[in-house]
């Protein structure tokens, strides 16, 4: 069986980042925003002024893990809390915008 996956272009990634920045501005929460392709490779990343530097690595790893598990980063964050089924992933970060 052949599996076809469409990946994300840089133009698409930049649109996702723009949408994430808009949402982060609306909720007044400077954020790191990353977009990965179908293979889990980083396509684009931005750290807004005031966003935590430590969040960069966490965010990119979270995006990769969500892709590898084929779930949204929002669902990954929800499942990663203490006592939750996904707590073994080691992620306890909040999901904001397009992160």
């Amino acid at each position: 069986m052949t599996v076809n996956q469409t990946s994300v272009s840089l133009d698409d990634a930049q649109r996702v980042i723009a949408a994430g920045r808009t949402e982060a501005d609306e909720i007044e929460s400077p954020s790191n925003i990353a977009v990965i392709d179908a293979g889990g490779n980083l396509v684009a990343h931005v750290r807004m002024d005031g966003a935590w530097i430590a969040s960069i690595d966490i965010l990119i790893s979270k995006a990769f893990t969500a892709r590898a598990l084929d779930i949204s980063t929002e669902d990954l964050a929800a499942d990663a809390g203490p006592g939750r089924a996904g707590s073994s992933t080691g992620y306890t970060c909040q999901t904001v915008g397009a992160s």
Side-chain angles (χ1 to χ4, degrees), residues 22-75:
T22 297
E23 183 175 336
D25 284 340
E26 288 173 1
I27 63 173
E28 298 178 358
S29 178
S31 299
N32 282 283
I33 304 163
V35 179
I36 60 169
D37 64 16
N41 302 297
L42 183 65
V43 176
H45 169 264
V46 65
R47 183 178 70 88
M48 296 173 65
D49 292 342
W52 292 342
I53 294 172
S55 295
I56 296 169
D57 185 53
I58 293 168
L59 169 70
I60 293 168
S61 295
K62 183 174 130 183
F64 174 82
T65 301
R67 176 61 195 112
L69 297 174
D70 201 25
I71 62 174
S72 71
T73 55
E74 184 175 18
D75 289 343

